[in-house]
Amino acid sequence: MIGLDVVFTLAGLLFAAFAVLNLVDRTNPKRFGNATFWGCYAATLLFGSRLGNFVNGCLVVVLVIVGGVGGLGRGEPRTTSTEERRASASRWGNRLFVPALIPPALTLLAAMLLKDVRLGGMPLFEPKNLSVIALGLAAVVAASVALFLLRQPIGAPIREARRLMDMIGWAAILPQLLAALGVLFADVGVGDRVAEILSRVVPLDNAFAVVSVYTVGMALFTVIMGNAFAAFPVMTAAVGLPIIVGRLGGDPAVMGALGMLSGFSGTLMTPMAANFNVVPAVLLELPDKNGVIRAQLPTALLLLVGNTFLMYFLVFHAR
Amino acid sequence: MLTLVGVLVVMVGFVLRLNPLLVIFAASLASGLAAGMDVVAIIEELGKAFVGNRYLAIVWLVLPVIGVLERAGLRERAQSLVGSIRAATAGRVLLIYFAVRQITAALGLTSLGGHAQMVRPLVAPMAEAAAESRLGALGDGLRHRIRAHAAAVDNIALFFGEDIFVAIGSILLMKSFLAQRGHDIDAFAFAVWAIPTAVLAFVVHGARLLRLDRRLQEAAHDRA
């Protein structure tokens, strides 16, 4: 069975290559920092399941220190100039789009066709993670196709990937570190405390006020945690189930659906949701790391207001 | 109350714009220590949770193909293609992507998109090219604004599309959480009640994208 370990190994090898390329790159003034950073990250991907929790934790500490104190730099890896790219673009034309569309297309095909494929009684792919596994494998296929279809030098994919990765830098591990913080918060009971405080201040009998506390609370708690999935159990146990459903007789399906969507408004507003808001700002080379959040903010707020009214009108009349 | 000290550290750190890696680490230490864990236990827990969330690293596997395509001129090709369509504007290009992204996400195809796979190589360059062919060369300010909107479109369309698909993570979470508490609800019900918000998101954000076009035009006129 092909499981997540296969793609973790692929990703680990890629990051190990980034470490080596940086190590031998004399144009990068901080090449040892980059090599340490990507090397440690590669180790968590390649060996994370076998290393103990403490060793993994120490690798995380090294990542935090190197990334946190400005230990990462950028070299000047060889790539094409703007003129060369224009010339290449007019030479290959729309053929350039083919490899770009392979990862989404193959992921889609895999999700539809390979879900039930079995080999010797076992599913070929781990069913729960099929689409991420497919994405990882499709990306490798796409890079190989690009290499041959566009007659690129054999080292180009890894070299260019290193160039992009060094541009992204420490922001690359931010989503994973935030997820780890979320786990720790849950362990020590941050959610329970917030729920306790909220349940003390909610006005019990004003339906609109209760609905507002629930939707705005979902958004705010998501802003803090960076993830609506972390906010949902807390807010629903504190306000949604006991008051909206239990006391006021609301419909739990409506409450859940619109509550979760209120949380998504929060995701659009917070740097804690790093993979959605911070990583793209870096990836698109925006000088303002909050630029994406700024573009999303009006829509997020309007939708939060809209969701609050939708819930108020729908939750008590749905059945 | 002391358990909330980690949340406080995060908020203060982000407001002061300190390096997020250090802020998160400090918040983990503060939270853990406040709850009576020792430093070794906190580091163990961080290591375990970090490794437990490695699937977030898989997206970087697309960098080799995206990088090599950039080297071969993909972004330039995307720009010249859109630049040749006379009706194209930045807002309309983004609106079309919004619609496609939202509909495919609603069908469960959440991986047909993403910032590394689609926005950087295709969507952002196309939107920039559309604006450029109408308004002439863009200053950095406008260019960055268009790019920020390109990333925003991917997020908003995904978030308010995917919840219409029955087998998505958020719906399964709601279903199992409510089932544990005595409300056995068919996943389909959650999906149905996500539709009004999906429509609202399309209307609200679509209007903002068309407004973006007017703003860009004004900004270009002011410069001229």
Side-chain angles (χ1 to χ4, degrees):
Chain A
M1 184 168 75
I2 299 178
L4 277 175
D5 270 342
V6 175
V7 269
F8 289 155
T9 304
L10 280 175
L13 292 173
L14 185 66
F15 280 97
F18 297 159
V20 173
L21 286 175
N22 267 301
L23 195 63
V24 299
D25 178 4
R26 288 179 194 284
T27 65
N28 181 356
K30 296 181 176 169
R31 60 197 176 111
F32 296 110
N34 287 46
T36 311
F37 191 83
W38 298 131
C40 286
Y41 192 47
T44 66
L45 287 164
L46 288 170
F47 313 116
S49 328
R50 270 158 285 163
L51 298 173
N53 291 340
F54 184 71
V55 179
N56 281 321
C58 289
L59 289 169
V60 173
V61 173
V62 175
L63 289 171
V64 167
I65 293 171
V66 176
V69 300
L72 296 180
R74 277 163 73 174
E76 287 153 20
R78 166 162 69 93
T79 183
T80 43
S81 68
T82 313
E83 287 70 38
E84 286 169 322
R85 289 183 182 192
R86 288 219 180 97
S88 171
S90 51
R91 177 181 176 202
W92 298 117
N94 291 337
R95 198 189 277 201
L96 282 159
F97 293 118
V98 175
L101 298 175
I102 286 179
L106 277 189
T107 310
L108 170 58
L109 275 179
M112 293 194 312
L113 302 179
L114 298 180
K115 199 156 64 183
D116 301 316
V117 173
R118 291 173 157 268
L119 210 67
M122 290 274 278
L124 180 59
F125 292 97
E126 198 181 312
K128 203 157 51 87
N129 295 308
L130 177 62
S131 69
V132 258
I133 297 168
L135 175 66
L137 298 179
V140 177
V141 174
S144 326
V145 170
L147 207 55
F148 294 108
L149 197 65
L150 308 167
R151 314 242 171 91
Q152 295 294 307
I154 191 92
I158 304 286
R159 257 201 327 268
E160 297 290 329
R162 197 269 291 207
R163 176 175 63 81
L164 295 174
M165 204 69 238
D166 278 338
M167 199 184 75
I168 297 161
W170 54 259
I173 68 156
L174 191 52
Q176 228 176 306
L177 198 63
L178 278 161
L181 176 66
V183 171
L184 200 86
F185 273 0
D187 286 349
V188 305
V190 167
D192 303 337
R193 286 291 86 69
V194 172
E196 206 178 290
I197 297 170
L198 272 174
S199 55
R200 253 183 265 150
V201 299
V202 184
L204 285 179
D205 293 316
N206 181 334
F208 188 75
V210 172
V211 167
S212 305
V213 167
Y214 181 58
T215 55
V216 175
M218 271 300 296
L220 280 181
F221 202 66
T222 304
V223 165
I224 294 170
M225 301 298 290
N227 189 336
F229 288 17
F232 185 79
V234 173
M235 288 303 303
T236 307
V239 180
L241 278 177
I243 308 180
I244 296 180
V245 174
R247 198 178 164 97
L248 302 173
D251 180 81
V254 178
M255 173 206 67
L258 290 170
M260 184 64 89
L261 292 165
S262 304
F264 288 178
S265 275
T267 315
L268 294 173
M269 299 192 274
T270 178
M272 294 290 283
N275 48 335
F276 295 113
N277 298 332
V278 180
V279 170
V282 181
L283 201 55
L284 295 170
E285 298 166 67
L286 302 183
D288 177 5
K289 296 293 160 279
N290 289 324
V292 177
I293 294 177
R294 221 170 292 253
Q296 288 168 173
L297 197 60
T299 303
L301 290 173
L302 284 169
L303 287 179
L304 181 57
V305 173
N307 269 330
T308 306
F309 278 97
L310 279 172
M311 189 184 301
Y312 177 66
F313 288 123
L314 296 174
V315 77
F316 303 115
H317 304 289
R319 46 184 176 187
Chain B
M1 268 348 273
L2 212 53
T3 23
L4 293 183
V5 68
V7 177
L8 191 72
V9 171
V10 168
M11 290 198 280
V12 171
F14 274 110
V15 169
L16 295 179
R17 296 191 162 212
L18 303 175
N19 180 289
L21 299 186
L22 297 177
V23 172
I24 296 165
F25 189 60
S28 315
L29 284 180
S31 254
L33 291 174
M37 296 164 76
D38 62 38
V39 175
V40 171
I42 296 171
I43 289 177
E44 281 177 348
E45 188 63 18
L46 272 182
K48 184 178 163 201
F50 190 83
V51 167
N53 282 286
R54 282 182 297 176
Y55 69 91
L56 285 164
I58 290 171
V59 65
W60 303 122
L61 278 172
V62 304
L63 288 186
V65 62
I66 297 305
V68 81
L69 287 173
E70 278 188 14
R71 182 185 187 281
L74 174 67
R75 292 208 277 182
E76 285 71 12
R77 178 62 199 158
Q79 292 183 325
S80 67
L81 188 71
V82 169
S84 67
I85 301 172
R86 305 235 341 242
T89 65
R92 287 180 201 160
V93 167
L94 293 181
L95 188 60
I96 290 171
Y97 182 66
F98 190 99
V100 173
R101 179 78 163 130
Q102 198 180 22
I103 291 167
T104 51
L107 298 173
L109 310 173
T110 49
S111 46
L112 284 181
H115 299 110
Q117 303 97 306
M118 294 296 278
V119 178
R120 179 180 158 110
L122 293 171
V123 181
M126 284 180 170
E128 284 174 46
E132 240 164 7
S133 73
R134 296 225 147 194
L135 310 170
L138 298 170
D140 273 349
L142 292 185
R143 183 178 298 283
H144 292 147
R145 190 149 157 205
I146 295 173
R147 285 186 193 170
H149 270 279
V153 158
D154 193 273
N155 284 337
I156 297 169
L158 172 67
F159 292 179
F160 297 100
E162 65 174 9
D163 248 23
I164 297 176
F165 184 64
V166 177
I168 208 79
S170 53
I171 288 192
L172 300 178
L173 172 79
M174 289 190 268
K175 185 175 160 52
S176 74
F177 179 83
L178 292 175
Q180 280 164 26
R181 280 154 188 79
H183 298 275
D184 217 348
I185 299 163
D186 189 57
F188 186 71
F190 296 112
V192 168
W193 291 113
I195 294 174
T197 309
V199 173
L200 190 66
F202 184 79
V203 171
V204 167
H205 202 68
R208 284 193 61 217
L209 288 173
L210 297 178
R211 196 152 157 264
L212 174 70
D213 275 340
R214 289 200 296 278
R215 286 289 177 82
L216 291 173
Q217 212 148 25
E218 284 162 24
H221 277 302
D222 289 348
R223 230 158 18 107

